[in-house]
Amino acid sequence: MIDPADLPLRDIHLPPPVSWWPPALGWWLLALALLLLGAAIWSLLRWYRRGYLRRAARAALEQLFAEYQRHRDDRRLLRELSVLLRRIALSRFPRRDIARLSGAPWLAFLDQPLNGTPQAKGFSRGPGRVLAEGPYATATELDPAALEHLCRIWLRRLPKAPPP
């Protein structure tokens, strides 16, 4: 019989433990995917927030004209439409440029985004001119459909909102 102590055997050596650094390729790809996902979500939220004013203004305009279909009060429509357009303008442009405008200068300001369109002077010479004196006059030449169309085009042509 052979004595195990006489054999030229060595003890079992285990490999060193696996290090946590550097991570395997899969972890690097997962980290990159999470970063890209976070950047995509952030940019989508920014894009959505930039369009919020336009969507809210469009909804308020639709509600205003829907209420007009029920009450048919021209003066009330013109008063509420003037307030809505001024609120939209104040939220998009500097207050010092908008707050003091009234009458013909206000209508000229409203015409600025419409330059280059068939409705270029729609507020100062078209159906929007009733906004200047309509709420105060006794009889107006109000065309609600043309006025709604003009306001929708104005909303569409407004410059993009600055990033929040």
Side-chain angles (χ1 to χ4, degrees):
M1 187 98 208
I2 301 176
D3 184 21
D6 293 338
L7 293 174
L9 298 176
R10 292 189 214 163
D11 198 14
I12 297 175
H13 292 284
L14 296 176
V18 177
S19 171
W20 65 274
W21 192 261
L25 178 64
W27 290 111
W28 286 107
L29 293 176
L30 179 66
L32 179 66
L34 288 176
L35 281 173
L36 290 175
L37 180 66
I41 289 172
W42 179 75
S43 63
L44 281 173
L45 284 175
R46 249 184 96 160
W47 172 79
Y48 183 78
R49 282 191 291 165
R50 281 189 75 185
Y52 174 75
L53 173 68
R54 193 177 305 265
R55 286 188 304 275
R58 196 174 299 132
L61 189 67
E62 287 174 10
Q63 181 182 3
L64 190 72
F65 280 97
E67 286 178 11
Y68 174 72
Q69 295 301 322
R70 285 192 290 278
H71 62 69
R72 292 288 183 185
D73 184 1
D74 294 348
R75 295 175 88 187
R76 179 177 165 190
L77 171 70
L78 293 175
R79 186 175 53 248
E80 291 174 357
L81 186 60
S82 294
V83 168
L84 177 65
L85 293 178
R86 190 162 301 266
R87 282 177 44 211
I88 294 168
L90 284 172
S91 66
R92 189 58 64 91
F93 299 100
R95 185 175 197 86
R96 66 182 177 278
D97 297 342
I98 306 301
R100 60 184 167 78
L101 295 177
S102 64
W106 169 243
L107 297 179
F109 171 81
L110 291 175
D111 281 334
Q112 287 175 358
L114 301 174
N115 288 339
T117 66
Q119 297 83 9
K121 298 288 181 188
F123 283 102
S124 54
R125 294 190 196 132
R129 73 181 177 280
V130 296
L131 289 173
E133 58 273 337
Y136 313 108
T138 55
T140 61
E141 304 164 2
L142 179 65
D143 182 3
L147 189 59
E148 181 179 11
H149 180 68
L150 183 65
C151 291
R152 284 181 189 278
I153 292 171
W154 183 77
L155 279 176
R156 237 182 288 134
R157 302 274 306 187
L158 276 178
K160 297 282 187 201

